[in-house]
Amino acid sequence: MKTALITGASSGIGAIYAERLARRGYDLILVARDAAKLSALAARLEASSGRKVDTIAADLGVQADLRRVEQRLASDSGIAMLVNNAGLGAVKSLVDSTPEELDTLINVNVTALTRLTRAAAPGMVARGAGAIINISSIVALKPELLNGVYGGSKAYVLALSQSLHHELGDKGVQVQAVLPGAIATPFWDRAGHAVDNLPAEWVMTPEDLVDAALAGFDQGELVTVPSLPDLDDYNRMEQARHAMAGNLSRNKPAARYVTAA
Ligand SMILES: NC(=O)c1ccc[n+]([C@@H]2O[C@H](COP(=O)([O-])OP(=O)(O)OC[C@H]3O[C@@H](n4cnc5c(N)ncnc54)[C@H](OP(=O)(O)O)[C@@H]3O)[C@@H](O)[C@H]2O)c1
């Protein structure tokens, strides 16, 4: 019996992951703040899939709640997959945001995601099997599209996933970062910018997004960019990044920075 724990499962992308993973035979643990929505989804999925669906109502920005989810991840050896999907966006610039708004975004998008990964990974390594799916965003590659704090948080998720793959890939733990473009979910209204304001050709349904992301997962991709037509575009960027590696740390500054004393 395998179980997937999905954060942010009460709506949007997380709710579709829940449906698709139940269909794939996973029991589920659904996490979000809205207990009523989680219970309704759990009842619907149990009836349609026959899988066992548990819920944890938790605000991942609140330490005590985060610890409850961490404890479940660390103690439940049936958890074979963690989908770190909960997250929030913001369309305000850094200077227009209050410090509290920045904290809330970073606490959920960065801190909670990291701590839940830390809670799940040791058991997966010990079992020699597991999967961690992190929902990043295309703004990890192009932070100028939205505001700097949201883009920064999603660039962190991409970099953490690359680093985790380096650490855990040969220990039986599959890591995937998913980089959605604009997806038609409540995310946009919550961030203060209706999705209808975007050109329709930019906006994908959450169903198409999750199905493409799971196809990328099945293909063993570390990074999945569901909208990108030509994978070579991404691969060229990766090759350029890796090609720089040998020159990024040297014992002398580059000649252009050497000034006459
Ligand atoms: N929609 C897009 O265009 C888009 C594009 C790229 C990436 N993404 C990413 O995709 C992920 C899912 O977003 P979505 O589009 O599906 O938006 P959504 O419908 O607003 O879903 C966000 C989910 O996160 C949960 N959540 C938010 N704050 C939380 C908190 N403090 N504690 C626990 N759960 C919390 C919400 O549940 P509760 O309110 O019940 O807590 C909800 O289930 C996010 O990480 C987002 O950054 C979205």
Side-chain angles (χ1 to χ4, degrees), residues 217-236:
F217 179 81
D218 292 341
Q219 291 165 28
E221 284 188 346
L222 166 58
V223 178
T224 298
V225 191
S227 297
L228 191 69
D230 187 353
L231 186 59
D232 282 348
D233 287 344
Y234 181 81
N235 289 339
R236 273 194 296 276

Side-chain angles (χ1 to χ4, degrees), residues 27-176:
D27 288 341
L28 302 175
I29 304 168
L30 309 179
V31 179
R33 289 167 300 181
D34 191 326
K37 272 197 197 165
L38 288 182
S39 301
L41 179 61
R44 183 167 67 75
L45 292 180
E46 281 194 332
S48 62
S49 69
R51 308 315 313 172
K52 185 172 172 302
V53 185
D54 217 351
T55 64
I56 305 178
D59 183 337
L60 296 175
V62 171
Q63 284 292 312
D65 284 12
L66 178 57
R67 268 197 290 276
R68 279 192 293 122
V69 184
E70 285 178 313
Q71 277 160 10
R72 181 64 183 268
L73 280 165
S75 62
D76 187 338
S77 60
I79 296 178
M81 177 183 283
L82 166 62
V83 183
N84 271 316
N85 162 77
L88 58 144
V91 289
K92 282 190 202 167
S93 68
L94 181 138
V95 293
D96 290 333
S97 305
T98 65
E100 293 73 24
E101 285 170 333
L102 300 183
D103 265 354
T104 300
L105 188 146
I106 293 167
N107 284 343
V108 177
N109 291 14
V110 174
T111 307
L113 178 141
T114 308
R115 295 248 317 244
L116 297 181
T117 299
R118 171 66 185 80
M124 292 181 179
V125 169
R127 295 188 288 278
I132 300 173
I133 297 176
N134 292 328
I135 307 302
S136 173
S137 163
I138 53 142
V139 299
L141 302 177
K142 179 82 175 114
E144 301 88 346
L145 282 172
L146 289 176
N147 83 56
V149 179
Y150 180 66
S153 77
K154 292 300 179 179
Y156 172 85
V157 174
L158 173 59
L160 178 73
S161 304
Q162 289 165 324
S163 174
L164 277 175
H165 171 69
H166 174 69
E167 288 181 16
L168 305 179
D170 63 356
K171 297 182 172 62
V173 182
Q174 183 179 352
V175 178
Q176 183 195 26

